[in-house]
Amino acid sequence: MAEAVAEAGAGVAPGAPEVPGVPGAPEVPERSRALEGVRGYGLIVAMWIRSTMTYRTSFFLATFGNATVQLLDFVAIYIMFSHVEALGGFSLPEIALLYGSCSASLGLADLLLGNTDRIGVRVRDGSLDTMLVRPVPLLAQVAADRFALRRLGRIVQGLGVLGWAVWALDVAWTPGKVLLVPVMILAGAAIFAAVMLAGAAFQFVAGDAAEVQNSFTYGGNTMLQYPPTVFGKDLLRGVTFIVPLAFVNWLPALHVLGRPDPLGLPGWVGYLSPLVAFVAFLPASLAWRAGVRSYRSTGS
Amino acid sequence: MRQRAALYAAVAAGGFRRYATYGTATAAGVFTNTVFGFILAYTYIALWDERPGLGGYDQAQALTFVWVSQSLLAAGSLIGGGFQEEMQERIRTGDIAVDLYRPADLQAWWLAADLGRAGFQLLGRGVVPLLAGALAFPLALPVDPVRWLLFLVSVVLALVVGFAVRYLVGLSAFWLMDGTGVNMMAVVVTIFFSGMLLPLTVFPGGFGEFVRTLPWAAMLQVPLDVLLGKNAGAGGAAGALGFQACWALVLLGLGRLVQSAATRKVVVQGG
Amino acid sequence: MGGGEVLISLDGVEKVFDVRRRVSLMRREKRQVRAVDGISFEVARGEMVGYIGPNGAGKSTTIKMLTGILTPSGGRLRVAGIDPARERMRLAHRIGVVFGQRTTLWWDLPLKDSYGLMRRMYRIPAERFARNMERCVEQLDLAELLDVPVRQLSLGQRMRGDIAAALLHDPDVLYLDEPTIGLDVVSKAKVRGFLRQLNGELGTTVLLTTHDLQDIEQLCERVMVIDHGRLMYDGPLRGLHTAGGVAESERTLVVDLERELPAISVPGARVVKVEGPRQWLAFPAGASAAPLVAAVAADYPLVDLSVREPDIEDVIARMYAGRG
């Protein structure tokens, strides 16, 4: 989805002179840049998966580790609940719903474009240049590079906790609420992806600042594991209206659980996540394009 | 002997300076530590509201735990980072052979460099988050200078224990082509068993007692308890520091054993 | 300069960078650097051109503009009829790029996996891919290396692997940025031989930057010299020597003696530098080093020695000196 937006605006100059009869000139089919991006992304990802499988032991260890790091996260919450009945007024299954959904969302975004956070390194070591001379949109290459299948671990673990939450929760399921669960995960992943894209773009300006991105992705994820009632109102306003992390899972989950939003937003707002994700991509992809343009005009 | 000390001091100073050049990265790290500090502080407030006195801490002490943890995390390389990945890369490329022939001890060399790095990150990444936390929340920081001194000693020991464990992780590259899996497992274990996720005193029953004896407890939980004055009296503090020192010696010794096995392997295979 | 079809053309191309420099703790100074300052030239199909100049002269910036990595600040630039900055992906199919300092291959993957990915990326028809692979593997001696991950290759092996990767899609133009830097003599010879063959048999146009004068002497009939972002010379290599007032380039024999001694005196060479027990002797590039080494070894306590090839920067430096 991100790669569809990639460099879309860089455009193909219309009416550029074709060189006729050049021996060995490849036939470049006129396709949209987005399709080229998806194709290139797929090619690179497939190669990395094959390559990962040659170090099978390490792959399974890493996947297991990836799942375990998250599981231990949840064990910590579980330990908290061995001392208390509720946290911020939420029961353990309710928190499990929050935890599972945002883990799955972040895992998905991380799997699909997790390596965009290496862009600062790429600028420094010059490997971005080698990508710019290949016939594949830059974002597709950056996102697919070193594609780490082990990140499935986080998704599987998140979905596992989510499954337990759905089973343990006492919710009057309506078709709308049932539908909202998968929508929440996908839209949440898209919102995280937009944040990652914006973070990558930021690195064109501040190359060493890769970690700032982690505040919003991993930090956001840690925050979203806990109920919004735990946090201060100012923080809630910030993550609802500025960096719309609240739409990853808080607002949809509050609607599923039939709980009011601490900021007083109406329940149907929970259904807006896909729209918010779409809107979040606009500034993120503009920032990315500006970043690439600035790199190509300054080379640094 | 004195020459040796001068050499390692120079290596440590190099480690310090090397990280001091990454200004933007340090600022970004401080920002991240502060954001995480806020998020965890809010959840701890909720938890200690429900159960005051949980784990033997009052709410101010729990908040102190959060913020001091965030300040120590980069120095201790508790969530990754540090020298071990660079070391693995040198092992994989064969550059380690050069290190082995240097007239310096491999382990001491890396320890000096890592302590230099940690020294910078203690200052560069530790001070600001702690100040931010102290401004935003009521913390229980001690006023007794002796306590701070003990804390400092405990932090140094924590850094050495952390180094010793990561040195073993680094050496694993002699046997494993791809270190990603091992590195990740090492980080996972450290995050959980150091007390970073939740103070180890909150862990229930026998499991809690068990995790408090592991080396990871020496990396974060122990220094924090020393700071918070949880080990009453001189004997208590000495016990805590002794616990750390024991693990440091055992793990450094283990590192030497593994290192000599690895060196033999290099010699046999010819690099 | 070749009457054939023009493949590369630059007309008053400029590249201006804003450089921010910290002058004090609080104040930053913004300054404009004209890395490329109005360069015009044309390269015809089938030419093999050396593009040389001191570090920071604007060589790499020019190559980056020609490959579509950087957008020019001014002027007109076309490669195979394509404006590189606007259509870098379309251009990518027409050019091959080799950076001597870094690889375009995938570091962790065996060479052949990289090639397989290139084939798909560039949509190279299977038959053409097989033919090109066969040629590259044979002429660049890659058969033994195909299953080796790139990071385990030596610099020379990697360079050969990179050159092959840049040619699988039959590019019209091949850009080489320092293709022989850091290579041993055998690897250098191999790479040069291959490039000559490529240019001779397939007529691939080659533009190369280098510090090694022998690259130019053995490969290029035409040389362009750039300095301070401007084209200082464009013509045959011989003319460069004349323009610089340099009759012939020189090689350097570096000898390490047992102890500090006065300047060595042997026929056919002159001492240009003495530093402790180490001395530098210049001798004509065309002359053999063997009699010289024998003469030095006969009369002096020799510990070690090495021969340095003439450096392009020396030649250019002398060219400026000659102009006075």
Side-chain angles (χ1 to χ4, degrees):
Chain A
M1 169 176 338
E3 49 275 10
V5 189
E7 295 190 312
V12 174
E18 272 295 333
V19 180
V22 178
E27 294 142 39
V28 187
E30 275 301 319
R31 279 166 217 245
S32 77
R33 205 155 179 131
L35 270 178
E36 277 300 300
V38 172
R39 176 180 180 271
Y41 180 85
L43 289 176
I44 301 169
V45 164
M47 184 194 63
W48 279 109
I49 292 177
R50 269 198 310 273
S51 148
T52 306
M53 287 306 162
T54 56
Y55 296 124
R56 226 167 263 257
T57 316
S58 198
F59 165 71
F60 285 118
L61 261 179
T63 310
F64 182 71
N66 205 296
T68 322
V69 69
Q70 311 314 320
L71 191 67
L72 289 179
D73 232 14
F74 190 66
V75 169
I77 294 177
Y78 191 84
I79 292 175
M80 288 183 185
F81 273 86
S82 71
H83 298 284
V84 296
E85 290 295 312
L87 202 59
F90 281 57
S91 69
L92 183 59
E94 286 177 310
I95 286 182
L97 179 72
L98 294 174
Y99 175 95
S101 57
C102 72
S103 269
S105 292
L106 181 64
L108 197 55
D110 206 25
L111 178 75
L112 293 180
L113 63 160
N115 281 306
T116 46
D117 65 356
R118 285 167 45 85
I119 201 95
V121 180
R122 301 205 153 284
V123 170
R124 252 169 290 146
D125 71 10
S127 54
L128 205 63
D129 289 350
T130 66
M131 292 183 164
L132 279 166
V133 298
R134 291 189 190 126
V136 172
L138 188 62
L139 183 58
Q141 294 186 67
V142 169
D145 188 53
R146 290 171 172 273
F147 182 86
L149 197 60
R150 62 171 183 274
R151 290 177 171 148
L152 275 176
R154 188 196 282 267
I155 303 175
V156 169
Q157 188 271 342
L159 290 177
V161 173
L162 183 73
W164 177 76
V166 167
W167 174 80
L169 275 174
D170 187 20
V171 165
W173 291 101
T174 63
K177 286 182 178 182
V178 170
L179 185 68
L180 195 51
V181 173
V183 167
M184 160 170 76
I185 290 168
L186 294 176
I191 292 172
F192 273 131
V195 171
M196 288 176 182
L197 188 59
F202 179 61
Q203 286 189 43
F204 281 111
V205 186
D208 286 336
E211 245 197 290
V212 169
Q213 194 169 334
N214 293 349
S215 304
F216 294 99
T217 51
Y218 295 99
N221 181 55
T222 305
M223 177 185 76
L224 296 174
Q225 291 169 359
Y226 295 95
T229 47
V230 163
F231 298 96
K233 285 266 165 48
D234 285 332
L235 184 64
L236 293 185
R237 279 186 205 104
V239 297
T240 306
F241 301 114
I242 300 171
V243 184
L245 292 173
F247 288 89
V248 168
N249 68 343
W250 272 353
L251 292 165
L254 287 174
H255 179 71
V256 168
L257 298 172
R259 284 176 172 272
D261 172 44
L263 292 181
L265 295 177
W268 53 263
V269 167
Y271 287 98
L272 291 183
S273 291
L275 186 67
V276 170
F278 181 75
V279 171
F281 257 104
L282 294 178
S285 57
L286 282 178
W288 170 260
R289 272 162 49 189
V292 174
R293 201 178 310 127
S294 118
Y295 177 78
R296 293 183 65 195
S297 68
T298 63
S300 62
Chain B
M1 190 62 204
R2 190 181 305 161
Q3 265 183 334
R4 272 292 149 88
L7 169 68
Y8 295 126
V11 172
F16 186 99
R17 272 198 305 274
R18 180 173 159 200
Y19 280 83
T21 54
Y22 300 129
T24 326
T26 305
V30 165
F31 178 77
T32 309
N33 291 143
T34 309
V35 167
F36 269 90
F38 270 98
I39 292 167
L40 289 175
Y42 278 122
T43 63
Y44 278 31
I45 288 173
L47 190 58
W48 264 264
D49 270 348
E50 292 282 329
R51 273 292 301 272
L54 180 64
Y57 304 124
D58 61 29
Q59 196 173 76
Q61 288 177 321
L63 288 171
T64 310
F65 198 106
V66 168
W67 285 102
V68 178
S69 299
Q70 288 300 319
S71 297
L72 292 180
L73 186 149
S77 293
L78 298 177
I79 50 165
F83 72 98
Q84 66 278 13
E85 286 176 24
E86 188 186 339
M87 181 175 166
Q88 289 169 343
E89 193 54 35
R90 290 187 73 78
I91 292 171
R92 238 162 263 133
T93 55
D95 289 347
I96 199 78
V98 180
D99 303 347
L100 283 169
Y101 288 112
R102 253 199 299 247
D105 181 72
L106 190 66
Q107 194 184 36
W109 178 282
W110 284 108
L111 175 61
D114 197 52
L115 286 180
R117 173 201 62 78
F120 171 74
Q121 293 192 323
L122 212 50
L123 296 173
R125 289 189 55 173
V127 174
V128 176
L130 189 55
L131 281 179
L135 285 176
F137 299 92
L139 301 189
L141 293 168
V143 284
D144 179 7
V146 177
R147 189 93 68 74
W148 280 102
L149 198 68
L150 287 172
F151 172 65
L152 207 63
V153 175
S154 181
V155 166
V156 172
L157 286 169
L159 294 174
V160 175
V161 173
F163 163 83
V165 170
R166 286 179 289 122
Y167 192 70
L168 288 167
V169 171
L171 286 173
S172 72
F174 276 106
W175 290 273
L176 294 167
M177 271 308 289
D178 181 4
T180 328
V182 177
N183 293 348
M184 175 167 282
M185 289 307 282
V187 170
V188 171
V189 170
T190 307
I191 289 176
F192 192 69
F193 291 111
S194 65
M196 205 176 96
L197 221 45
L198 200 61
L200 299 182
T201 50
V202 175
F203 283 40
F207 180 62
E209 275 168 41
F210 172 65
V211 297
R212 289 193 287 274
T213 63
L214 297 176
W216 293 278
M219 296 182 198
L220 190 68
Q221 179 73 39
V222 173
L224 282 160
D225 280 343
V226 168
L227 183 74
L228 293 171
K230 288 288 125 185
N231 326 83
L241 298 183
F243 168 76
Q244 289 181 294
C246 277
W247 271 123
L249 288 176
V250 167
L251 290 166
L252 285 176
L254 190 59
R256 299 204 75 85
L257 281 179
V258 177
Q259 179 189 324
S260 63
T263 318
R264 265 198 306 280
K265 188 170 173 289
V266 171
V267 174
V268 170
Q269 293 183 347
Chain C
M1 262 166 257
E5 171 204 353
V6 171
L7 209 52
I8 303 174
S9 72
L10 287 81
D11 188 7
V13 170
E14 292 177 6
K15 183 70 208 175
V16 182
F17 294 119
D18 284 337
V19 180
R20 279 184 196 81
R21 205 164 53 97
R22 193 177 288 249
V23 283
S24 68
L25 197 64
M26 302 305 291
R27 216 160 56 82
R28 273 166 185 243
E29 199 179 63
K30 207 166 117 176
R31 194 164 60 90
Q32 285 201 329
V33 174
R34 308 185 75 80
V36 171
D37 194 5
I39 282 189
S40 308
F41 64 76
E42 290 187 345
V43 175
R45 180 178 293 283
E47 276 196 276
M48 181 119 95
V49 182
Y51 193 56
I52 62 179
N55 285 329
K59 282 177 308 200
S60 291
T61 306
T62 314
I63 297 276
K64 283 184 183 176
M65 287 192 284
L66 286 169
T67 47
I69 295 170
L70 283 181
T71 317
S73 323
R76 188 173 184 280
L77 194 158
R78 290 289 181 274
V79 176
I82 297 170
D83 179 352
R86 296 192 57 164
E87 294 188 78
R88 69 158 192 88
M89 298 216 322
R90 201 159 75 90
L91 179 76
H93 287 281
R94 308 288 297 269
I95 62 171
V97 187
V98 177
F99 298 105
Q101 309 275 29
R102 53 182 177 270
T103 184
T104 56
L105 302 165
W106 282 266
W107 201 240
D108 301 285
L109 299 178
L111 208 45
K112 72 165 189 251
D113 284 14
S114 277
Y115 294 152
L117 184 57
M118 293 280 189
R119 178 173 79 78
R120 289 154 185 268
M121 252 191 195
Y122 286 85
R123 294 195 166 84
I124 307 169
E127 188 197 336
R128 177 136 56 96
F129 179 75
R131 195 176 63 226
N132 287 345
M133 271 301 280
E134 198 183 336
R135 185 168 48 91
C136 287
V137 165
E138 189 200 311
Q139 295 178 6
L140 285 167
D141 219 355
L142 294 174
E144 311 268 291
L145 308 177
L146 288 177
D147 289 313
V148 182
V150 173
R151 62 176 144 80
Q152 289 175 19
L153 297 179
S154 74
L155 202 57
Q157 292 170 333
R158 209 209 69 204
M159 177 53 63
R160 285 182 279 145
D162 257 310
I163 292 176
L167 292 171
L168 293 176
H169 58 286
D170 285 331
D172 297 300
V173 187
L174 177 64
Y175 299 103
L176 299 151
D177 195 5
E178 299 286 356
T180 58
I181 197 163
L183 300 195
D184 59 81
V185 184
V186 180
S187 297
K188 275 185 186 179
K190 229 174 237 175
V191 166
R192 287 179 191 139
F194 179 79
L195 292 177
R196 241 192 327 265
Q197 212 166 353
L198 178 80
N199 179 253
E201 288 173 10
L202 297 183
T204 307
T205 310
V206 179
L207 185 67
L208 69 98
T209 75
T210 184
H211 273 86
D212 190 332
L213 192 58
Q214 287 202 323
D215 283 348
I216 306 282
E217 280 173 346
Q218 295 185 13
L219 294 174
C220 307
E221 286 180 10
R222 179 181 167 197
V223 181
M224 291 188 282
V225 181
I226 181 177
D227 194 27
H228 294 104
R230 295 200 174 153
L231 208 57
M232 309 297 292
Y233 176 82
D234 185 351
L237 182 62
R238 289 183 314 282
L240 178 59
H241 289 308
T242 327
V246 184
E248 194 178 11
S249 57
E250 288 180 323
R251 293 197 282 168
T252 312
L253 180 70
V254 185
V255 295
D256 286 321
L257 304 175
E258 263 175 22
R259 54 187 184 278
E260 285 186 41
L261 286 170
I264 292 172
S265 154
V266 287
R270 60 194 167 84
V271 172
V272 289
K273 192 170 154 193
V274 179
E275 215 178 81
R278 177 172 286 191
Q279 304 201 359
W280 282 259
L281 284 79
F283 63 99
S288 164
L292 190 60
V293 172
V296 174
D299 298 337
Y300 295 88
L302 200 56
V303 177
D304 197 7
L305 62 85
S306 61
V307 177
R308 291 214 186 132
E309 297 306 326
D311 196 85
I312 218 88
E313 301 203 4
D314 298 345
V315 175
I316 294 164
R318 274 184 270 162
M319 173 174 150
Y320 291 136
R323 275 189 190 170

